[in-house]
Amino acid sequence: MVTLLQQLVNGIVLGGLLAFITLGYTMVYGIIQLINFAHGEVFMVGSYAALATYLWALPSGIQSTWYLALPIVILAGAAFSVLVAVIMERFAYRPLRNAPRLAPLITALGISVFLQEAVRNFFPDGTRPKAFPEVFPEGQLTFLGVTVPASGLLLVVMAIILTGALQLYVNTSKLGRAMRATAQDPDTARLMGINPDRVIVLTFILGAALAGVGGVLYGVHYDNINITIGFQNGIFAFTAAVLGGIGSLRGAVVGAFCIGLIKTLAGQYMPGGTAYDYVWIFVILILVLVFRPQGFFGETERVRA
Amino acid sequence: MSALLEVRGLTVAYGAIEAVRDISFVVETGQIVCLIGANGAGKTTTLRTISGLLRPRAGDILFDGQSIANQPAHAILGAGVAHCPEGRRLFARMTVEENLLLGAYTRTDDGVTTDVQRVYDLFPVLGERRHNKAGLFSGGEQQMLAIGRAMMSRPRLLMLDEPSMGLSPIMTQKIFDTLADLKAQGTTILLVEQNALAALALCDRGYVVDLGRTTLEGPGHELLADHRVRAAYLGEG
Ligand SMILES: Nc1ncnc2c1ncn2[C@@H]1O[C@H](COP(=O)(O)OP(=O)(O)OP(=O)(O)O)[C@@H](O)[C@H]1O
Ligand SMILES: [Mg+2]
């Protein structure tokens, strides 16, 4: 019983982490029908940018004051992720806007590899995993024998607040309305005077900011980062987006928590244990694609080959 | 009178198919001009090119004396040309109110709320159900919303593509009365219609489009009396 509760807690933390990434996948898909496989790397570079900021930009007085260091590295991580995403959109995807759909998809895979290799080559000793600095107090809550690490709590609370804020923004602001209009009918949105380039770049910015924050909190919670964290978590987040119904913000968050729970519970209870927990995620992905390709909240009309 | 919109020798193609061939017409400020013609004549293609959704292969489009032929669609709306597209094209999963606010997307003045209310006054059913999703309305009600949405940008030129499609005779009359009111308030209108009788009766000038060209033109009442028009579009002869 305690084990189950503990795995539920772990699953929710992982779900919160994935929620940071999933929204970027689903929003970009909703607007330009591109599965941005480089989005996981946007998450990863946010993590490294936070590390670099901590190591080389923060004076030691601030380094040791977590309530100053944490917001600074979060902002730095998010800002760098946004920068990378904006450059990527402008120079890689925008020129391919009217190309056959395979072209941007392959480009996305190329950017993914490029960003991993860039960090490997340019971050000092980039091949080796990096210890992430302690920018949040160690500590944990224990009740009924279940341990909830403070960093996990931080991650989940931030995930809920930020994904909620994003949905509020998209559903109520003028630019959010323009985003939804462009996703529903790009031509008619243009007839309303909406500049698609601006809306698309905004979509990349919002998704990247969330991914960057997620990347930093990944380091804070798991203590170690390496250049493959983006790829791994990106794939899980992508599965979560498909499960929730790609294009749907609500679906993305629900899907993220489902995948987080499935992965940790499978690691505990399924044959193969944690070594094969990711297999079950792909089993789910395949089942969803076969039996309910529109996911929980997606629309059938949006699912295209 | 000065020309608000002038289309000169416009040719538009989908790949190898030329849907519009060397079309020319003029819309004077304050007028209602209508384009009538058979299915597939190229009317919708013409409007989509004026509003910047399609690029011309040849020819030019002048709005207020400036060429807009290669401007992006959002800039053309910004210049004062609104387009109520064929088949309504509402944002079905958004509310009535959100659709109207999208129509006013480029406006920054504080008259938007007043104008939303004006649309509700004109079409009370929209006001009563302003928080319902647009996709839940009947075809005619959706058409009212589409017209209301196009008016929300306070355009100098309002282009409507078959606004009476799917409407009852009473609603059609109401739409045409609304267009006459808009004209009286100073809006210039370019109208594409299958309902040639009503359109020609309303318009100052009409053009008959056939196979991508304008074949006949003249004041609405003259075209109404023309035996070729009566034979081809009014089911006589
Ligand atoms: N997206 C497209 N691709 C290829 N051909 C097209 C496309 N849209 C229209 N056409 C063709 O262009 C020609 C003109 O079409 P258009 O829609 O402009 O006609 P229309 O006058 O608006 O007709 P209707 O009265 O039926 O609405 C037609 O032959 C049509 O088949
Ligand atoms: Mg048409």
Side-chain angles (χ1 to χ4, degrees):
Chain A
M1 187 60 193
V2 171
T3 316
L4 175 65
L5 285 176
Q6 183 66 57
Q7 290 304 353
L8 288 178
V9 168
N10 296 348
I12 288 170
V13 173
L14 179 60
L17 179 79
L18 296 180
F20 280 112
I21 313 175
T22 308
L23 279 167
Y25 267 116
T26 220
M27 286 196 301
V28 165
Y29 184 86
I31 296 273
I32 54 173
Q33 284 75 50
L34 166 69
I35 295 168
N36 178 14
F37 278 116
H39 185 60
E41 271 57 49
V42 170
F43 162 89
M44 183 268 294
V45 298
S47 202
Y48 275 87
L51 175 61
T53 306
Y54 183 88
L55 292 178
W56 302 311
L58 292 190
S60 59
I62 294 182
Q63 279 181 337
S64 55
T65 319
W66 74 267
Y67 53 84
L68 293 178
L70 181 67
I72 292 174
V73 298
I74 287 179
L75 285 179
F80 193 71
S81 291
V82 166
L83 180 70
V84 167
V86 168
I87 293 174
M88 176 166 91
E89 192 278 326
R90 180 66 189 82
F91 295 105
Y93 298 142
R94 195 177 299 181
L96 297 174
R97 194 82 56 75
N98 297 315
R101 282 156 59 96
L102 201 53
L105 200 65
I106 291 169
T107 306
L109 290 170
I111 297 171
S112 168
V113 174
F114 171 82
L115 287 174
Q116 280 190 45
E117 292 307 311
V119 174
R120 188 206 303 283
N121 285 301
F122 294 112
F123 204 89
D125 197 17
T127 312
R128 303 250 300 278
K130 300 283 166 216
F132 203 83
E134 221 176 89
V135 284
F136 194 65
E138 289 278 338
Q140 55 197 39
L141 303 172
T142 309
F143 55 90
L144 305 171
V146 178
T147 310
V148 184
S151 58
L153 203 60
L154 171 77
L155 197 158
V156 172
V157 169
M158 292 272 290
I160 291 170
I161 292 174
L162 290 181
T163 58
L166 180 83
Q167 294 193 50
L168 198 67
Y169 179 75
V170 170
N171 287 326
T172 58
S173 74
K174 184 169 176 178
L175 274 170
R177 201 183 301 131
M179 280 175 71
R180 285 179 291 135
T182 305
Q184 281 182 35
D185 185 342
D187 272 356
T188 307
R190 289 164 66 201
L191 291 182
M192 304 293 111
I194 295 168
N195 179 347
D197 286 343
R198 282 186 57 192
V199 168
I200 291 168
V201 99
L202 173 73
T203 308
F204 273 86
I205 288 173
L206 292 174
L210 273 189
V213 173
V216 181
L217 294 179
Y218 177 95
V220 172
H221 180 66
Y222 294 97
D223 299 330
N224 265 292
I225 60 172
N226 65 68
I227 58 167
T228 65
I229 56 172
F231 185 73
Q232 287 167 7
N233 291 295
I235 293 282
F236 298 152
F238 166 65
T239 310
V242 174
L243 182 63
I246 196 146
S248 157
L249 298 189
R250 210 168 20 138
V253 176
V254 174
F257 283 101
C258 287
I259 294 293
L261 288 168
I262 289 164
K263 181 166 182 288
T264 48
L265 294 178
Q268 181 72 35
Y269 297 107
M270 296 306 264
T274 51
Y276 290 96
D277 55 5
Y278 62 90
V279 171
W280 301 104
I281 292 181
F282 295 119
V283 169
I284 299 282
L285 176 62
I286 291 164
L287 291 178
V288 172
L289 288 176
V290 171
F291 292 107
R292 198 175 158 81
Q294 75 275 32
F296 296 150
F297 298 110
E299 276 125 47
T300 354
E301 70 200 25
R302 282 272 197 69
V303 180
R304 296 183 207 147
Chain B
M1 283 267 185
S2 63
L4 184 61
L5 179 79
E6 189 176 349
V7 171
R8 282 190 194 153
L10 189 70
T11 299
V12 190
Y14 299 99
I17 308 162
E18 283 190 349
V20 169
R21 283 172 237 163
D22 196 21
I23 230 177
S24 299
F25 60 90
V26 175
V27 182
E28 308 273 349
T29 306
Q31 280 192 336
I32 297 183
V33 170
C34 81
L35 305 180
I36 60 169
N39 294 121
K43 307 178 297 292
T44 296
T45 304
T46 304
L47 292 198
R48 287 173 66 81
T49 311
I50 295 170
S51 58
L53 294 176
L54 297 171
R55 290 273 162 259
R57 179 158 290 182
D60 204 357
I61 301 163
L62 303 179
F63 181 66
D64 215 5
Q66 307 278 332
S67 173
I68 54 167
N70 284 301
Q71 298 267 334
H74 61 90
I76 291 172
L77 182 282
V81 182
H83 180 172
C84 178
E86 185 174 47
R88 309 183 290 265
R89 302 288 286 266
L90 295 174
F91 298 105
R93 279 171 281 141
M94 294 197 214
T95 64
V96 167
E97 189 129 322
E98 285 181 305
N99 271 277
L100 291 176
L101 291 174
L102 278 163
Y105 179 75
T106 53
R107 283 176 59 182
T108 48
D109 60 281
D110 48 14
V112 173
T113 336
T114 324
D115 284 4
V116 169
Q117 193 53 50
R118 273 179 48 192
V119 175
Y120 293 157
D121 292 342
L122 197 57
F123 305 116
V125 61
L126 299 179
E128 286 155 21
R129 296 166 60 192
R130 65 186 72 181
H131 298 300
N132 285 19
K133 297 245 181 333
L136 301 174
F137 285 77
S138 79
E141 291 163 342
Q142 292 193 14
Q143 191 67 61
M144 300 174 210
L145 179 54
I147 295 169
R149 184 180 66 176
M151 284 157 45
M152 284 299 299
S153 67
R154 288 205 177 165
R156 292 164 67 200
L157 174 67
L158 175 60
M159 304 195 295
L160 302 117
D161 197 341
E162 302 198 24
S164 75
M165 189 165 55
L167 296 191
S168 67
I170 290 178
M171 264 327 295
T172 303
Q173 192 52 50
K174 180 156 188 184
I175 298 289
F176 277 80
D177 290 347
T178 306
L179 297 184
D181 286 348
L182 284 171
K183 177 191 166 177
Q185 290 160 25
T187 308
T188 308
I189 294 171
L190 175 59
L191 177 66
V192 163
E193 258 303 334
Q194 292 286 342
N195 187 342
L197 188 61
L200 290 174
L202 176 75
C203 71
D204 297 293
R205 195 165 186 82
Y207 291 82
V208 177
V209 184
D210 189 27
L211 293 175
R213 299 166 205 275
T214 44
T215 51
L216 283 173
E217 63 169 281
H221 57 92
E222 279 181 19
L223 286 180
L224 260 183
D226 189 289
H227 68 277
R228 288 162 298 181
V229 173
R230 297 195 79 84
Y233 301 104
L234 301 174
E236 291 178 15

